[in-house]
Amino acid sequence: MTAWAVDQASLGELVDAGLTSIEEAMYQATSSEVEVLRDASRHILSAGGKRIRPRLLLLSYLALGGNDLERVAKPAAAVELMHTASVVHDDINDHGIVRRGRPSVNSIWGRTFALLTGDFLFTAVYELMAPYQHLNVDLARAATALVEGETLQASAVKDKIFTRDIYMRIIALKTAALFRAAGTIGAKLANGSSDAVAALSSFGFNLGMAFQIVDDILDLVADESTLGKSTGIDLEQGRGVAVALNDAGNSSSNGRHDIADPMDQIKRRLLEGNTIAEAREQAELLVQDAIVQLSVIPNSHYKEELVGLANLVIERDY
């Protein structure tokens, strides 16, 4: 094996070690003497997941010269726990029964304990971030945006107003804001320059926008066994990328979309047009914009990993 190959292997091992430290931090933070909280938290965490948010934070840190895995593990774990808390609450609101390829928390423990588990995961975030002072502000802003986005989405569905503009605003709040926080926090932990912090912040935001668009496409076209969660919920409830991007051609006046149609009729109509292709093209453009932001970051194995992460977002099928 060449010296270059050895170096690449050791760099890859550092990423793996960082991800292992993040997992350990999440498990430690969700330890509880109250069995239902511990068991429900471990249930959703042990199901795995893509871990794309903590990976983004870790790679942003490493790409700017950070090398203290213990320092970066807890903030990265906090970002992932915030996301996990949100999906536990999502499954309550959506009546989702499958998450990450296994029964959702609420389908096993019921809505009350699922709500409390989500709350418990959010409180674990506060504990993990307590030593990080000003970085709390970045994550707190993402938490606020997440709740605002979910609320805006529920309101748009309730009022039967779901347009392209509203959709983009929703995903910027409920998804992209946390991705932006991951890039920002990783860069700041590495004491990156203001330009580097701004670049990784923008990279994360664009990546998050693309991620959610692809996620919504998969909710429309992927089967439940492949995706690992209950599918069709967004479409059934009159939200998501297909509904939003199709509003111009299939909505009544004032951007109001008829969500009273049976789900199969809506799905059939949406698949007849170019909705999916248009949405995927939008996601690809966002990823291209994200990668351009990395031009101010020094070339390294970790920068290449960030580019690979961006490409994975649009190439994934689950």
Side-chain angles (χ1 to χ4, degrees):
M1 183 180 292
T2 66
W4 182 86
V6 171
D7 288 343
Q8 291 295 99
S10 63
L11 291 172
E13 289 172 0
L14 188 60
V15 174
D16 291 341
L19 292 171
T20 298
S21 296
I22 293 165
E23 291 292 318
E24 292 173 352
M26 287 195 292
Y27 274 80
Q28 290 173 5
T30 53
S31 178
S32 174
E33 294 181 359
V34 179
E35 289 184 4
V36 66
L37 291 176
R38 182 188 65 242
D39 292 348
S41 297
R42 300 291 169 80
H43 171 80
I44 185 69
L45 288 177
S46 64
K50 291 171 281 293
R51 302 293 197 255
I52 190 169
R53 295 160 185 83
R55 183 182 289 269
L56 168 59
L57 195 155
L58 174 64
L59 290 174
S60 297
Y61 175 72
L62 295 173
L64 294 181
N67 56 21
D68 185 348
L69 297 183
E70 184 176 348
R71 174 171 168 76
V72 76
K74 288 186 177 181
V79 167
E80 182 66 8
L81 287 181
M82 182 173 290
H83 165 63
T84 304
S86 74
V87 299
V88 170
H89 283 171
D90 275 352
D91 286 338
I92 299 171
N93 294 333
D94 298 341
H95 306 285
I97 60 172
V98 178
R99 174 64 67 173
R100 296 176 179 173
R102 59 172 58 181
S104 63
V105 172
N106 63 290
S107 70
I108 297 176
W109 284 275
R111 292 167 64 86
T112 297
F113 286 120
L115 176 64
L116 292 168
T117 299
D119 292 343
F120 175 64
L121 292 170
F122 272 119
T123 61
V125 172
Y126 302 141
E127 183 177 359
L128 284 167
M129 290 300 295
Y132 292 86
Q133 301 174 356
H134 65 284
L135 295 182
N136 277 294
V137 175
D138 295 299
L139 196 55
R141 286 173 179 161
T144 299
L146 191 158
V147 176
E148 289 175 337
E150 292 289 355
T151 304
L152 180 60
Q153 177 173 278
S155 178
V157 171
K158 178 178 180 293
D159 296 334
K160 301 181 181 179
I161 302 175
F162 212 100
T163 66
R164 183 192 301 255
D165 289 343
I166 291 174
Y167 171 75
M168 297 301 283
R169 184 182 170 199
I170 287 169
I171 67 173
L173 290 167
K174 80 168 190 175
T175 303
L178 189 55
F179 275 74
R180 176 169 54 198
T184 301
I185 292 171
K188 287 184 176 180
L189 280 169
N191 297 315
S193 67
S194 58
D195 285 347
V197 171
L200 285 164
S201 175
S202 181
F203 175 84
F205 181 82
N206 285 324
L207 197 63
M209 294 290 287
F211 180 90
Q212 189 60 59
I213 290 172
V214 173
D215 209 54
D216 289 340
I217 291 171
L218 292 174
D219 185 70
L220 182 65
V221 302
D223 62 60
E224 193 168 292
S225 62
T226 299
L227 197 55
K229 65 177 181 180
S230 302
T231 60
I233 290 173
D234 284 348
L235 185 63
E236 185 176 19
Q237 297 184 358
R239 66 191 193 200
V241 66
V243 173
L245 293 179
N246 210 50
D247 71 284
N250 291 296
S251 60
S252 60
S253 62
N254 299 320
R256 301 177 74 87
H257 186 91
D258 182 6
I259 62 172
D261 292 344
M263 178 180 168
D264 60 342
Q265 293 181 17
I266 296 174
K267 189 170 184 177
R268 191 179 305 115
R269 185 174 70 239
L270 294 175
L271 288 175
E272 285 174 353
N274 294 322
T275 303
I276 303 301
E278 291 175 4
R280 189 167 291 280
E281 182 180 0
Q282 174 107 45
E284 290 172 355
L285 288 172
L286 285 162
V287 164
Q288 290 173 20
D289 287 344
I291 293 173
V292 167
Q293 301 300 319
L294 297 180
S295 61
V296 303
I297 306 299
N299 291 331
S300 69
H301 169 77
Y302 304 117
K303 180 177 177 178
E304 292 175 3
E305 290 269 347
L306 285 167
V307 173
L309 186 66
N311 289 323
L312 177 63
V313 162
I314 53 175
E315 293 168 0
R316 66 193 178 98
D317 57 4
Y318 66 95

